[in-house]
Amino acid sequence: RKNHSNLLTSGLDGYDQDTAKASKSLGAMCIRIRDNNIAGAMKRAPIAVISCRPRRKELFYELCLKAAVFYDLQGNVLVDVGAGLVMQYFKENGGWKYLADRPKKFESENSEQTHEKGVRLTTFSKPRMSGLMQTDIEDNIENNWFPELINQLGNYDEVEIGSDNDLADAYGLALMQDVSCEVRPRDNE
């Protein structure tokens, strides 16, 4: 649906080290179609996922940037700034315009965050992300056909920091971007 804007959102849970000796952590990206009024189109569902940890982190970053370009995710890739090298990769390779602005809706009143793009998952924002995930699962689980995402959502623990449920985190980030994006999906025709 190349003639629509803001139809898709994405969450990206990256990493900064090529290998993780103490973890099975992978990089993950989840692309999700938003609620829309397109006849016969999917609504509120994941449509594509990336979940891997190639030998070199730059290969993962490249996959994510290619997906952002292919799906025309301008301003709609919400990245966890906890692993910021993927954001630097996007910037250096012409992909800065795909990154979502910092969603102020998920910050406490006394937040001192200053970064321009991405979100920091804090004790304030992570429970709110988990609440979005719970609601979306209850309302739309029949629209999710990615077995690994379903498995990770079943094992998800909002209290656990640094879990190996990277795809579930990416899905939660995509939901945060959906809520944060003020512009509803629009037919550009």
Side-chain angles (χ1 to χ4, degrees):
R1 309 244 184 224
K2 295 291 185 188
N3 58 331
H4 283 77
S5 55
N6 293 302
L7 181 61
L8 305 171
T9 60
S10 176
L12 199 166
D13 185 28
Y15 56 91
D16 289 346
Q17 304 294 322
D18 284 333
T19 58
K21 294 179 180 163
S23 166
K24 298 179 291 184
S25 179
L26 304 174
M29 183 179 198
C30 179
I31 301 168
R32 188 176 173 279
I33 191 166
R34 301 171 74 197
D35 195 18
N36 62 76
N37 58 5
I38 303 168
M42 295 186 69
K43 297 169 181 24
R44 298 180 303 233
I47 60 164
V49 298
I50 298 171
S51 180
C52 60
R53 192 167 190 138
R55 173 176 63 78
R56 299 281 313 273
K57 62 188 172 297
E58 293 81 9
L59 295 174
F60 171 72
Y61 302 166
E62 180 181 15
L63 282 173
C64 294
L65 181 54
K66 285 179 176 180
V69 171
F70 180 79
Y71 287 102
D72 194 23
L73 294 168
Q74 288 190 43
N76 277 311
V77 178
L78 187 61
V79 178
D80 177 359
V81 299
L85 288 182
V86 69
M87 294 174 72
Q88 186 65 33
Y89 182 88
F90 269 58
K91 187 174 189 175
E92 292 171 356
N93 292 280
W96 190 252
K97 67 182 178 184
Y98 295 102
L99 298 179
D101 291 337
R102 187 174 92 232
K104 295 181 178 85
K105 290 181 178 184
F106 292 94
E107 292 179 21
S108 66
E109 285 181 18
N110 56 355
S111 174
E112 296 180 8
Q113 297 182 48
T114 59
H115 51 93
E116 179 185 354
K117 304 279 187 179
V119 66
R120 183 170 311 283
L121 293 179
T122 64
T123 55
F124 184 86
S125 62
K126 187 144 185 183
R128 284 157 180 76
M129 179 181 85
S130 296
L132 291 173
M133 294 166 71
Q134 181 182 24
T135 299
D136 193 65
I137 290 165
E138 289 175 6
D139 293 347
N140 304 303
I141 192 63
E142 69 279 358
N143 297 331
N144 186 340
W145 65 88
F146 294 101
E148 182 57 26
L149 177 55
I150 293 168
N151 181 47
Q152 288 186 25
L153 290 171
N155 296 326
Y156 197 79
D157 182 357
E158 77 173 61
V159 178
E160 189 174 344
I161 303 295
S163 74
D164 290 333
N165 293 320
D166 307 294
L167 190 53
D169 282 334
Y171 163 80
L173 292 166
L175 289 169
M176 289 173 84
Q177 179 56 24
D178 187 351
V179 168
S180 298
C181 185
E182 300 291 334
V183 182
R184 303 312 313 158
R186 186 177 86 130
D187 185 340
N188 296 328
E189 301 290 317

